[in-house]
Every structure is written in structure tokens, then in C-alpha cells.
Amino acid sequence: MNFLKRIFNNFKEKAASSLKNFNGDYNVMLIAFSAWIILTAVMCWDYANDNFQIGHPASRDVKAIYDFTYIDEDATEKEKLKAAGAVDKVIVPDKTVTNSVTHSVELTFSKIAACRDRHRNSILKMSAAVDKPETAFPVFISADMFENILSLSDSSFELVRNTSKVVTRNIMNEGVDASDVNDKLVSAHDIDRIKDVVSHLELNEIEKMIVISVASSAVRPNKKLDWLATKDLQADKMSKIEPVSKFIPKGQIIIREGEIVTPIQLDIIKSMGGVSLSQAGRIKKIAAGGIGALVMLLLVYFGVKKYSPQVLSERRLLLLLAIIMIVSAIVFKAIAVVSDGDFNELCFYIMPVAASAVLIEMIAGSSVAFICTVILSTFVAVVSKNASASFTSLFTGIIAL
């Protein structure tokens, strides 16, 4: 019985002593826990929602978090361009050329009619009135053909005159191609068209020969590209192209860490509704940040305990030390985020490591300040994702000390 009583009393004394020590260390534990939570949050600040930008390296692997289909804008645009390229160009007759050719036929027959009226009683005089018929009229008329035209009766002349204008205008309205040899000459195909049209007319052989000769000499290539009509057809074809959809299965890697983000990859990420870590990935990142923050605090604690133990018993000094470390970490993180990775090398020199080192030295001495400078320099390297940042920050901190 006495044995049990002694055990109980011994346990009671130890419990009271532990409770007393706990009350003395309560402030230290509360400050350390608060600092750990804040530092963990700062380190994990952008882990949950990365900011991917075109032309910048991806900060991590991105996988499809679910099956989804997205519109491939690049592939869709290629299909539209392909459809537009397959559209036949719209070729139309040039009305200006058609009217000019028709007018030249009318002017040619008007000059011949005037010649017939002046020398109506003598075909020889009619022929002699025109020295070189090949160059005397807007439309080429050979000397033999000129003689044939002069020999026509008035009714036959008017029939040939009107028929030549109609045939020429109709052929021109349908469009005349250029010769393969010379783009200013008419193709053989169009000459055959004229002959085919005239062959079905109710004319005698001489009249047909004259009409064919005049129309063949008068017509000119008049086909031109109608850009507006062509573009309208292309736009219509492009508008009928369905968007190209592509399937991304769950778990497929969209972009790997370190790869330069392309517009297509960014479009895929946006189509997926942005990026977010999976539950396991989020826990992994937070755990890594928490462990890193804990290691930092433990190093600070052991450094203070060894070189400036009086700080642990002074709540105000301990709180001030924690505030300096936390504010420094937040400032480092903010500078790294604002710089967006483009100016980190310049930002190393404006990281307030030196100022933090001086303030900590005033509170806990140079030894603790040196330890904290090393820790803060390491933190700078972590948040800036650049190992050289640690040496730059450490150098500025040591110089300040």
C-alpha cells in the first residue's frame, strides 16, 4: 500500500513539474507553430494554381484531371485554309473589253458602209478608195475579205454587219481565253467556237466566211479573276468547316515541367477549365512546404538555444524574431511572383536579406544572425527557383553583418 502511495506521489510531482515547464514554454510553442503555419502557406502560395504563360517554362507537369474534348483551333484553321485553297477561282468576262471589241466591229462596218455609199456604182472605185484595208479599220480585214464585203448587196451587207456584232458580243460575253503561245492572241478553242456558232446560222457561204473572219479578228482575251466573288466562295466554304475536336483521356500529360508553353498547350489547359493539382499532388506539395518550413524553424531554434538562449525566455524578442523571418519570407515570395521569372537575377539584389540580417543581429547576436541569413538565402533560392540566388543573397547578408 505504501509502495503504491509512493508511486502516486512521484507521478503527481512529475506531472506538476511538467505542467509548470509547459506553461513556461507555451509562448515559444505558440509562436513557433504560428510561424510554421505562415511559412508553409508562403512556400505553397502558388502551388495550387500555377500561372502558365506562352514562351515560359512550365513550372510542373500538367495532366488531364478528367476525360474531356477540346476544340483544336490550330487544326480547325488548317482545315479552313485547306477548304479555301480547294475553291476554284471565279473567272468572269471583262465587260469593258467586251464593249470595246463590239464597238470596234460596229465602227469597222460603219466605215465600210460609208465607203459603199460614196462609190455605190463601182466596186473598183470602192476598193481603190481604201489603200490598205488591213490597217484602215479597227478590225483587221484582209484585202480579199474586203472585196467580198464590197460585193454584197445592201440587204446582205446589213445582215452580215448585224450578225458579226451579235456573234462577237455573244462569244465575248461567254469569255475568251488567251492563246498558250501569246496571251494577247485568242485561243484556237474560241476560234472553233465562232465557226461552230456561225455554221448553224442561215447564211450563204460567203456571208458565213465574212462573219467568221470579222469575229475571229475582233475578239480578244477578256477573262479576268473576280477576287470578290472568289473570296465570298472561300468564306462560304470556310464557314461550313466544323471545328476539329480532339479527345484527351484522363491522366494524359499535356505539358511536362520545364517545357516551353506553346499556344496550343495553353488553349488545351484553358479548355480543361484551368489547371489545379490533384488531391494527392496538393497534399504532396503542402507536405513538402511544411517540412521545409519546419526544418527552417528547427535550425533557428537550435541556433538561438545555443548562442542566445535568453531570447527564448523573452516573449517580445522571440515574437520580433519570428516577425522578421516571416515578413522577410513574404517579401521574398512577393518579389519572385511579381518578377514572373524574367528578372530574378536582378531581383536577387533587392531581396532584403541584408536588412533582415542586421535586425536579427540586434536581437540575437551575430551567430544567430548568420544562421538566419543562411536559412533566408536558401528560402530565396527555393521561391525564385534559381540556385544562384542563394549565393547572391548569402553574400549580401554576410557583407551586412
Side-chain angles (χ1 to χ4, degrees):
M1 201 63 183
N2 291 331
F3 175 73
L4 292 176
K5 187 175 182 180
R6 284 196 303 270
I7 293 176
F8 176 76
N9 290 333
N10 189 28
F11 174 77
K12 184 178 179 181
E13 291 175 0
K14 289 184 178 181
S17 177
S18 298
L19 183 60
K20 183 178 180 180
N21 292 334
F22 175 78
N23 289 332
D25 294 339
Y26 176 76
N27 292 331
V28 177
M29 295 176 63
L30 180 61
I31 293 173
F33 180 74
S34 301
W36 177 69
I37 292 295
I38 295 174
L39 288 175
T40 300
V42 171
M43 295 186 72
C44 301
W45 186 351
D46 61 347
Y47 284 160
N49 195 8
D50 296 272
N51 183 24
F52 292 90
Q53 293 186 350
I54 297 174
H56 291 255
S59 58
R60 61 177 176 85
D61 290 350
V62 177
K63 296 181 179 180
I65 56 178
Y66 53 83
D67 293 340
F68 77 100
T69 301
Y70 76 100
I71 302 300
D72 190 333
E73 298 292 345
D74 188 59
T76 302
E77 186 64 22
K78 288 181 179 178
E79 289 298 321
K80 288 183 177 181
L81 293 176
K82 183 178 178 181
V87 173
D88 293 332
K89 295 179 180 179
V90 178
I91 305 297
V92 296
D94 191 332
K95 292 182 179 180
T96 302
V97 177
T98 300
N99 293 335
S100 175
V101 168
T102 304
H103 177 69
S104 66
V105 172
E106 173 60 29
L107 186 60
T108 297
F109 276 100
S110 295
K111 288 185 175 183
I112 295 176
C115 181
R116 285 167 57 89
D117 290 340
R118 286 196 301 270
H119 307 283
R120 181 172 295 277
N121 298 325
S122 174
I123 296 178
L124 183 61
K125 290 182 178 181
M126 292 182 193
S127 178
V130 179
D131 185 23
K132 293 183 179 180
E134 294 88 348
T135 59
F137 307 107
V139 176
F140 174 81
I141 303 291
S142 66
D144 292 339
M145 195 58 60
F146 183 58
E147 293 288 342
N148 290 329
I149 295 175
L150 294 178
S151 65
L152 295 174
S153 65
D154 290 344
S155 60
S156 180
F157 176 81
E158 289 300 323
L159 178 62
V160 168
R161 178 179 186 173
N162 293 329
T163 303
S164 297
K165 289 193 298 182
V166 172
V167 170
T168 302
R169 182 184 297 109
N170 290 341
I171 293 296
M172 293 293 292
N173 284 336
E174 293 176 4
V176 177
D177 293 316
S179 170
D180 294 334
V181 178
N182 189 330
D183 57 3
K184 293 183 178 180
L185 299 179
V186 179
S187 67
H189 168 71
D190 291 304
I191 299 298
D192 290 339
R193 286 170 55 204
I194 294 174
K195 293 179 179 179
D196 181 65
V197 170
V198 175
S199 66
H200 294 84
L201 300 178
E202 295 182 0
L203 301 173
N204 60 43
E205 293 302 320
I206 294 179
E207 292 170 343
K208 289 182 178 179
M209 182 175 60
I210 295 173
V211 172
I212 292 174
S213 176
V214 172
S216 299
S217 299
V219 294
R220 293 288 180 270
N222 70 334
K223 287 187 176 181
K224 68 175 183 177
L225 175 63
D226 190 334
W227 279 109
L228 291 178
T230 301
K231 287 186 177 296
D232 287 342
L233 283 178
Q234 290 176 336
D236 182 62
K237 289 289 185 181
M238 293 173 70
S239 66
K240 294 178 180 179
I241 297 297
E242 295 292 333
V244 178
S245 300
K246 291 190 176 180
F247 175 73
I248 301 293
K250 179 180 179 181
Q252 177 174 317
I253 294 179
I254 298 174
I255 184 171
R256 295 186 181 277
E257 181 179 355
E259 287 184 358
I260 301 300
V261 179
T262 64
I264 295 178
Q265 290 170 329
L266 188 60
D267 288 341
I268 295 174
I269 292 173
K270 290 180 178 180
S271 299
M272 195 171 60
V275 294
S276 60
L277 294 174
S278 62
Q279 188 67 21
R282 187 178 292 109
I283 293 175
K284 179 181 177 181
K285 293 294 186 181
I286 293 176
I291 293 173
L294 181 61
V295 171
M296 291 172 56
L297 292 176
L298 287 175
L299 292 174
V300 173
Y301 171 77
F302 287 120
V304 171
K305 185 176 182 180
K306 180 175 179 61
Y307 298 106
S308 299
Q310 73 277 5
V311 174
L312 296 177
S313 59
E314 292 290 337
R315 184 177 63 180
R316 292 182 179 179
L317 293 178
L318 185 62
L319 182 60
L320 186 57
L321 177 62
I323 290 175
I324 293 173
M325 296 290 291
I326 292 172
V327 171
S328 299
I330 293 175
V331 172
F332 299 159
K333 187 68 174 183
I335 293 175
V337 171
V338 171
S339 69
D340 196 29
D342 287 333
F343 307 102
N344 278 332
E345 293 184 1
L346 297 177
C347 289
F348 299 157
Y349 296 96
I350 63 174
M351 295 289 189
V353 176
S356 303
V358 172
L359 293 174
I360 294 173
E361 183 184 20
M362 295 172 60
I363 297 173
S366 59
S367 297
V368 175
F370 177 77
I371 294 173
C372 292
T373 300
V374 174
I375 294 172
L376 290 176
S377 299
T378 304
F379 186 85
V380 169
V382 172
V383 297
S384 65
K385 300 177 182 178
N386 193 317
S388 62
S390 177
F391 298 102
T392 305
S393 301
L394 181 61
F395 176 76
T396 58
I398 292 176
I399 292 297
L401 293 176

